[in-house]
Amino acid sequence: MSGTLQDFDARILLFGCGKMAGAMLHRWLAKGLPPAQVTAVRHSGAPVADNVAVHTSAAGLAVPDILCIGVKPQQFATLATQISPLVGPQTLVVSMMAGIEISSLRAALQTSAPQTSAPIVRIMPNMPVAAGLGVVVVTGAMPDTACTMLDTLLAPLGTVHALADESALDAVTALTGCGPAFFYAFADALAEAAGQLGLSAADGDALTRAMLFGAASTLQTSAKSAPELARDVASPGGMTQAGLDVLAKENALHQLIDATLRAAVRRGGELAALAGQG
Ligand SMILES: NC(=O)c1ccc[n+]([C@@H]2O[C@H](COP(=O)([O-])OP(=O)(O)OC[C@H]3O[C@@H](n4cnc5c(N)ncnc54)[C@H](OP(=O)(O)O)[C@@H]3O)[C@@H](O)[C@H]2O)c1
């Protein structure tokens, strides 16, 4: 196995190649992964990329080096028996499904193929991986060779973060997996509010995008904390402070965000239960 995507020689099977796995694949191919290394299984059989083989089921497919499971958690229970023959003793199983723990994956994938030695890890990517600006959190044990292979694959996607404690992955999922959607919802609310103040929809949209990009970039590169950066914008008694006071009133923003992440985590648990866990 090699250290670059251009000469990546592991065979990757994407079982489920929708929005999330598709975004990862898009980035891998853009960074030089040979499409012949990838096979996708998706219900529709719709093409995923030039020269990537697509199948509608796993029947007859060879055991890959890396099996990436990208179906919805609630779809997994009915698909596990179809997926398990794809797991060889050396196959690195990579699940991106929210909520389903490694122990449950191992139990489900052993139902028809007891490949106890296959390493199983979970990753939590997010959609900005398509531009190499994603966050991918990885949890689970694997041999050094598998670790090197996975590092090569994940590095071009953005920030890769190892998580020692799998039980924290639900919180991670709410923050980094779901987070982009919460951020976009905030962007939409800003643009709409600016419209209520008389800005045209086009101006509100363009200015919201540009402002959030600049603020996010500053947050990424600054040594200051988020509250410190907010204080830099706000002067006592000024316009910004008047707005911040509304967000802080009765801890409104913090309570709203707390409820948002908790709802996501709660739903993760429900979906895992639907997948036969818990
Ligand atoms: N979306 C995100 O931002 C995000 C972030 C982090 C983690 N995830 C995780 O990524 C996983 C996929 O999410 P997604 O948003 O990419 O969902 P999605 O777009 O609906 O993708 C699901 C994929 O599963 C395939 N599939 C469904 N039933 C199948 C079957 N019977 N046989 C073969 N393939 C089947 C679908 O095939 P078709 O393409 O033909 O419909 C599709 O490719 C989930 O487990 C989710 O928790 C998603």
Side-chain angles (χ1 to χ4, degrees):
M1 307 300 171
S2 64
T4 68
L5 280 185
Q6 285 87 349
D7 51 9
F8 198 76
D9 55 6
R11 289 162 302 125
I12 305 167
L13 196 150
L14 302 174
F15 195 101
C17 191
K19 291 185 289 293
M20 191 63 253
M24 292 164 63
L25 176 63
H26 176 85
R27 178 67 176 172
W28 288 333
L29 296 174
K31 297 305 281 182
L33 178 72
Q37 295 306 116
V38 186
T39 301
V41 177
R42 67 189 302 191
H43 193 55
S44 61
V48 295
D50 286 350
N51 303 315
V52 172
V54 179
H55 299 257
T56 54
S57 84
L61 294 181
V63 167
D65 299 306
I66 302 174
L67 170 63
C68 195
I69 305 176
V71 297
K72 300 269 193 195
Q74 61 271 40
Q75 296 165 335
F76 179 67
T78 54
L79 294 171
T81 50
Q82 190 189 147
I83 296 172
S84 72
L86 296 168
V87 184
Q90 306 301 324
T91 303
L92 172 62
V93 179
V94 180
S95 168
M96 68 180 75
M97 293 181 292
I100 307 180
E101 293 174 2
I102 290 172
S103 57
S104 301
L105 289 164
R106 190 170 294 287
L109 294 175
Q110 282 174 3
T111 51
S112 67
Q115 306 291 4
T116 48
S117 61
I120 300 180
V121 299
R122 292 174 66 193
I123 62 170
M124 187 44 58
N126 64 10
M127 290 300 280
V129 296
L133 295 170
V135 176
V136 187
V137 176
V138 187
T139 193
M142 65 194 124
D144 287 349
T145 47
C147 194
T148 305
M149 192 165 68
L150 194 62
D151 280 351
T152 303
L153 213 46
L154 299 185
L157 301 180
T159 300
V160 180
H161 182 89
L163 187 71
D165 177 10
E166 185 189 356
S167 68
L169 199 63
D170 287 345
V172 162
T173 302
L175 179 64
T176 64
C178 310
F182 305 148
F183 178 81
Y184 301 139
F186 181 67
D188 183 51
L190 277 175
E192 188 180 318
Q196 294 295 327
L197 294 175
L199 221 60
S200 73
D203 283 349
D205 180 66
L207 294 174
T208 298
R209 287 171 194 254
M211 181 278 290
L212 289 177
F213 178 76
S217 303
T218 303
L219 184 61
Q220 166 78 354
T221 53
S222 175
K224 294 182 178 178
S225 68
E228 285 171 335
L229 288 169
R231 279 196 292 275
D232 281 351
V233 184
S235 38
M239 286 178 69
T240 308
Q241 191 57 53
L244 286 174
D245 288 348
V246 174
L247 294 177
K249 191 175 178 192
E250 291 167 7
N251 213 17
L253 180 64
H254 282 259
Q255 285 195 15
L256 181 64
I257 299 301
D258 182 73
T260 301
L261 295 201
R262 282 179 192 280
V265 168
R266 195 164 47 246
R267 184 59 184 152
E270 291 167 0
L271 292 174
L274 283 175
Q277 178 177 304

